[in-house]
Amino acid sequence: MSNENSSPATLAGQTSPESNNGHGSTSPGQTTLSGHAAPGGHDPAVSRETRRRVVAASFIGNFVEWFDYAVYGYLAATIAAVFFPESNPQTALLLTFALFAISFLVRPLGGFVWGHIGDRVGRRTALSLSILIMSGATFCIALIPGYNAIGIWAPILLLVVRVVQGFSASGEYAGASAFLVEYAPANKRGLYAAVVPASTAAGLLLGSLLAGLLTVLLSAEAMQSWGWRLPFLLAAPMGLIGRYIRTKLEDTPVFRELAEEDQAIKAPVSSLFRNHWRLLLKAVGAVLLNAVGFYVILSYMPTYLSSELGLGAAESFLATTIALVTYIGFIFLTGMLSDRYGRKKVLIAASLSFILLTVPAFALLGTGNFLVIVLVQILLGGMLTLNDGTLPSFLAEMFPTRVRYSGFAVSFNLSNALFGGTAPFMATLLIAATANDLAPAWYLAGAAAISLIAVALSRETSKEPLRHE
């Protein structure tokens, strides 16, 4: 993404230095980021080096978050034995996943808090604090003694740490997306924002691979004693690197412009619900396909393949890993497609593809043929990227600058808390209730239908300048 046609591209009406004879001054009639005349005659063009650092800073936070989630999920059986040894294995595993689910319950609260900080104090401040708290909490998991050492305090401490993680992580996806969109060239906001879902998938991929490697290399006794702690220890250096990169960046140009004009809003969340509640409802609906689709296709799928369809655990893991790799590649393509054809067209295509193809795709999974399963997962992952690669820029552009962080964080975390974290549970429940292995597919198609309506009622934003109001 460093190729920008030999000059820093403009940001929503901003002119490049080259167009001003290299002096960075603005002639009469030229505009700034928000479409207003540049105060003082200066053009705040953003260099390619700055944008590269913005991309790195935005990538690493979500990467650390989902690296942890992948490790926790993949090593759940080992963690259950460490923290709930007196329970039977199934109960211990359920308790371990219950702690995972609880972290989602605090996400809406985190969305309110981080949205307020991001819109009131600054995007950089919110992102620098969130990655520090999140990586610190992840690191602390590795330090908690097991049940045999401190008894009931072991699962209690694990619960506390997971709640802190959920709270801090709730500001990452929204904040990183807003940060990238506000720094990106006007014609590449979709491509830049696609870095965020790509970092999510990369974290899942590396976390799963590392957990799998440790399981192969270490004995069961070594894994239960100390091996499971190693991946969580990596969170500290990764988080410190991310925080260092973020503190070396200035806040986004559009937020700095607001601050200089003393226009940063004092109560962004209150303003969001009072003045932009229609946008908020549309955003929650638009996120629904992402919330359900991501967790069903990239998180729940290995369990579905092994538990419901009888595929071997190794084959299920391999098929999902291949899907994750292709997902990362597709995500940038869909970001570029949304820049060229518009956010709404790509998001509508995503919803329609899930409505029409999800049930047939799940039916093909039932054939049990490994090659067919891999191809179907690649197809489902590609369909999901049409939504996931477009959604960050769509949501960031939907809300005015003064409540952008809050609007994104609240809508994204509400939808994910209500429908994302519960998606694996709902899929399992529907299969049990209907005795139909295709039940998760119908659930996913229903989520796509709701998102289709929400997107269709929204306006196209890709060609518009970022707006203050």
Side-chain angles (χ1 to χ4, degrees), residues 71-152:
V71 170
Y72 189 91
Y74 198 79
L75 298 180
T78 301
I79 293 172
V82 172
F83 289 94
F84 304 100
E86 294 187 354
S87 304
N88 66 59
Q90 185 177 24
T91 302
L93 193 59
L94 284 172
L95 290 171
T96 303
F97 279 123
L99 293 184
F100 175 83
I102 286 173
S103 68
F104 282 87
L105 298 180
V106 297
R107 286 196 167 223
L109 173 62
F112 293 131
V113 174
W114 294 114
H116 176 86
I117 296 173
D119 285 327
R120 179 73 185 96
V121 183
R123 283 71 160 119
R124 188 191 69 166
T125 300
L127 288 170
S128 297
L129 285 174
S130 66
I131 194 172
L132 187 64
I133 298 172
M134 183 177 62
S135 58
T138 304
F139 178 78
C140 286
I141 291 179
L143 306 181
I144 301 174
Y147 187 93
N148 292 334
I150 60 173
I152 191 63

Side-chain angles (χ1 to χ4, degrees), residues 188-270:
K188 293 185 179 180
R189 294 196 297 247
L191 175 60
Y192 272 65
V195 167
V196 179
S199 68
T200 297
L204 278 175
L205 179 61
L206 183 61
S208 298
L209 289 175
L210 181 57
L213 181 63
L214 288 173
T215 303
V216 170
L217 295 179
L218 300 178
S219 66
E221 294 75 16
M223 278 296 297
Q224 189 167 326
S225 175
W226 54 270
W228 69 272
R229 301 178 184 272
L230 294 179
F232 296 107
L233 290 173
L234 292 176
M238 288 192 293
L240 289 175
I241 292 170
R243 175 172 168 77
Y244 175 80
I245 296 172
R246 289 176 176 183
T247 56
K248 296 301 178 183
L249 290 167
E250 287 188 294
D251 220 317
T252 66
V254 289
F255 184 83
R256 295 202 310 271
E257 185 181 333
L258 278 181
E260 288 168 4
E261 297 172 357
D262 196 26
Q263 293 295 313
I265 196 165
K266 291 180 172 57
V269 175
S270 175

Side-chain angles (χ1 to χ4, degrees), residues 53-62 172 176 179-180 195-196 199 246:
R53 287 188 285 123
V54 167
V55 167
S58 301
F59 181 95
I60 195 166
N62 276 280
E172 270 296 324
F179 204 65
L180 282 163
V195 167
V196 179
S199 68
R246 289 176 176 183

